[in-house]
Amino acid sequence: MIDLNRVKTGIKGFDQLVDGGFPKGSCILFAGSPGTGKTIFGMEFLYNGAVKYKEKGLFVSFEQEEQNIINSVRLFGWDMDSLIKKKMMHIMSIPAEEIKSSTAKEIMDFCKKNNIKRLVIDSLTTLSANAPIYTETKDVAVKDLINENTFFSPPIIGDAITRRFIYRFINMLRKIKGITSILISEASEKSEYLSKDGISEFVCDGVILVNFDTMGGDFSRQLIVRKMRDTKNDEDLHPLAITNKGIDVKKIKM
Ligand SMILES: Nc1ncnc2c1ncn2[C@@H]1O[C@H](COP(=O)(O)OP(=O)(O)OP(=O)(O)O)[C@@H](O)[C@H]1O
Ligand SMILES: [Mg+2]
């Protein structure tokens, strides 16, 4: 029986950690340090979505070119070209330096027009660091921050603008009915916050964290579901392997 309220990733060992899948319509922050498998996880979510669950997906990358993304997952046996031809899968590649304040709206409009059910943004960190640079001052309530007697250094204003952008972006996403999204976030290995902006982990409905364990053992990557609203989620650290078939979230050893 298909549970209409859960969006299955179909990723080996993962769905059972989150009550069968992500809550439908949720925004999930997928945070991890470099090379932990964030992009592969996002692509597998979309590939399985299209092939197993017949849901249309959009992958937005600010890091890699479309062909590069398609080639890198071919090693896992995922034929993205044919899914793209069938319009079950879309890839939007936007160089970071070409991100504009309108980019977020363009992504939303594309999702609505093409009946996208699964969205992956790679990464929210890059989008939120670049998009607000071009935001008009009337949109960011600069007057709330600056008055005649106070001086704010540019980085503080920059952080505030980035945060406001993230709130607005995630709220816009939630308003699109029936779209479940993974927002990839670049986390540093030992930071106080899960994200660089320090707020997206609070705003998103779910947070998954992947880290490198440099202490040795069979698997060096570890995944934990840090938060999942409306879900009785698993709270353990799980070894994460990348095999020739994709992501494999292992059971913890007793
Ligand atoms: N075919 C494969 N088989 C096994 N492991 C692979 C394969 N392809 C990639 N990997 C592993 O996956 C890692 C890259 O995964 P991915 O691109 O998803 O990481 P990421 O977290 O998105 O990294 P970044 O932060 O740099 O974007 C590689 O460093 C490599 O260790
Ligand atoms: Mg990546």
Side-chain angles (χ1 to χ4, degrees):
M1 198 178 87
I2 297 171
D3 182 347
L4 292 175
N5 295 317
R6 291 280 149 183
V7 176
K8 289 186 196 307
T9 65
I11 290 172
K12 201 172 170 210
F14 181 78
D15 291 330
Q16 64 219 54
L17 308 184
V18 289
D19 250 357
F22 296 134
K24 191 172 181 180
S26 58
C27 287
I28 310 297
L29 192 77
F30 195 100
S33 48
T36 44
K38 304 182 294 296
T39 299
I40 297 172
F41 191 101
M43 286 296 281
E44 189 164 2
F45 171 66
L46 297 183
Y47 178 80
N48 289 342
V51 172
K52 295 184 182 170
Y53 312 113
K54 309 293 171 221
E55 292 191 336
K56 293 184 178 174
L58 169 64
F59 190 89
V60 183
S61 177
F62 306 111
E63 334 271 325
Q64 290 168 278
E65 286 176 16
E66 177 172 353
Q67 203 50 51
N68 198 276
I69 298 166
I70 295 170
N71 292 345
S72 66
V73 299
R74 194 169 284 138
L75 290 167
F76 302 116
W78 307 339
D79 180 4
M80 290 293 171
D81 285 312
S82 76
L83 291 177
I84 290 171
K85 271 196 200 103
K86 287 187 230 160
K87 297 198 183 304
M88 287 305 289
M89 172 82 191
H90 300 266
I91 296 179
M92 212 186 253
S93 171
I94 306 167
E97 67 274 18
E98 288 175 22
I99 294 173
K100 299 191 286 276
S101 60
S102 56
T103 302
K105 189 171 180 300
E106 280 160 24
I107 296 169
M108 311 282 171
D109 288 346
F110 187 95
C111 289
K112 286 184 210 159
K113 195 167 162 229
N114 295 281
N115 196 23
I116 300 296
K117 297 288 178 215
R118 298 178 181 223
L119 168 68
V120 177
I121 306 280
D122 195 1
S123 64
L124 180 66
T125 317
T126 306
L127 177 64
S128 61
N130 290 283
I133 292 172
Y134 303 99
T135 303
E136 288 183 36
T137 49
K138 70 176 171 56
D139 290 337
V140 293
V142 168
K143 288 189 192 73
D144 292 348
L145 294 165
I146 304 169
N147 63 49
E148 284 175 0
N149 304 318
T150 318
F151 175 74
F152 284 87
S153 65
I156 294 174
I157 295 172
D159 282 356
I161 292 172
T162 298
R163 287 171 183 201
R164 197 166 269 247
F165 172 83
I166 288 168
Y167 280 120
R168 210 170 48 175
F169 181 67
I170 292 172
N171 281 333
M172 274 163 80
L173 266 183
R174 286 208 185 100
K175 281 189 190 133
I176 312 179
K177 288 271 172 298
I179 190 162
T180 306
S181 37
I182 293 183
L183 310 176
I184 292 175
S185 175
E186 294 159 10
S188 46
E189 212 71 57
K190 296 258 179 292
S191 156
E192 183 185 349
Y193 294 103
L194 298 179
S195 65
K196 284 184 182 159
D197 52 72
I199 59 143
S200 42
E201 57 267 44
F202 298 101
V203 186
C204 286
D205 304 300
V207 177
I208 299 159
L209 181 66
V210 188
N211 263 319
F212 257 112
D213 176 14
T214 49
M215 298 301 284
D218 291 344
F219 301 99
S220 52
R221 295 176 181 85
Q222 293 188 315
L223 176 146
I224 186 166
V225 180
R226 284 292 300 266
K227 136 176 167 184
M228 198 60 60
R229 287 178 185 149
D230 305 327
T231 305
K232 166 120 192 50
N233 61 278
D234 179 287
E235 293 176 348
D236 292 317
L237 266 174
H238 291 261
L240 182 147
I242 302 173
T243 72
N244 58 6
K245 289 187 187 132
I247 303 278
D248 183 357
V249 182
K250 306 274 186 188
K251 286 201 174 74
I252 46 167
K253 287 185 195 138
M254 291 298 174

